[in-house]
Amino acid sequence: KFSIVVPVYRPDEKYFAQMLKSVMDQTYTDWELCLADGSGSGHEMRETVLKVCKGDSRVKYVALKDNLGISGNSNQALDVASGEYVAFLDHDDILEPDALYEAANRIVNYGADMVYTDEDKVSPDLKRYFKPYRKPDYNKTLLLSNNYICHFCVINRKIVTEAGGFRSKY
């Protein structure tokens, strides 16, 4: 089971809805979406979540009293996550329909504790892809100068827990 952790803070509703739909459209269905919304009263995205996700029980929405930043909001989403693997996504990212299936494939067939993917930009109408970022295999030297892992990334929950979640100063 994947827990897709999304820190939310006043996203553009159109792009937020596209992200939600991209999760709902996954071909691999053993997932939960854990949203921690620090947008504050009057800016909460609860209605958009209800409209797009139609009450799907796999969606967990937490309205935070205050915005705790990316790290703090992510930690709040982690607190409601129950999956064996944690996936990290931004509130304006989208996933291809087979993203979770491919991550599960790498975990099952290769014993991966962590999976990260290439990235691409897409036009607002989701019809034109441009500026692909083909990420290399693990490269310690490159990683020390460039965070090429980022999104989409899936990590064994045990590793995330042992690391203590996210720390804002990092």
Side-chain angles (χ1 to χ4, degrees):
K1 180 178 186 176
F2 293 103
S3 294
I4 305 167
V5 168
V6 180
V8 179
Y9 181 73
R10 299 185 181 183
D12 179 297
E13 186 174 5
K14 174 184 177 180
Y15 300 122
F16 184 67
Q18 287 175 346
M19 179 277 296
L20 294 170
K21 185 172 181 339
S22 79
V23 174
M24 299 299 295
D25 290 345
Q26 289 300 296
T27 58
Y28 183 90
T29 59
D30 194 8
W31 55 261
E32 64 184 358
L33 178 60
C34 304
L35 304 157
D37 188 353
S39 298
S41 182
H43 298 282
E44 290 181 0
M45 301 306 294
R46 184 183 312 273
E47 292 302 317
T48 303
V49 172
L50 290 171
K51 183 171 62 175
V52 175
C53 302
K54 299 176 180 22
D56 190 309
S57 62
R58 297 173 295 177
V59 179
K60 299 178 178 183
Y61 177 86
V62 178
L64 303 175
K65 194 172 189 174
D66 297 304
N67 180 36
L68 305 174
I70 293 172
S71 296
N73 293 0
S74 294
N75 284 332
Q76 294 297 308
L78 276 171
D79 284 348
V80 299
S82 64
E84 184 181 357
Y85 285 83
V86 180
F88 299 100
L89 197 62
D90 276 344
H91 64 214
D92 59 353
D93 289 343
I94 59 169
L95 294 175
E96 288 298 310
D98 61 348
L100 291 179
Y101 170 82
E102 292 296 340
N105 180 34
R106 296 321 185 271
I107 290 165
V108 170
N109 292 315
Y110 298 97
D113 281 323
M114 179 179 174
V115 176
Y116 59 92
T117 67
D118 293 337
E119 296 178 33
D120 206 349
K121 302 291 184 197
V122 64
S123 62
D125 63 3
L126 304 180
K127 293 185 178 184
R128 188 174 67 84
Y129 288 81
F130 59 96
K131 201 173 180 183
Y133 182 16
R134 307 283 184 233
K135 298 176 184 176
D137 288 343
Y138 177 72
N139 179 324
K140 182 179 178 183
T141 303
L142 179 60
L143 188 57
L144 290 172
S145 64
N146 175 20
N147 180 13
Y148 64 84
I149 294 174
C150 202
H151 302 141
F152 183 59
C153 178
V154 176
I155 304 173
N156 186 312
R157 181 187 184 90
K158 181 180 172 188
I159 294 170
V160 175
T161 301
E162 287 175 1
F166 294 99
R167 291 179 280 176
S168 296
K169 65 181 180 179
Y170 296 104

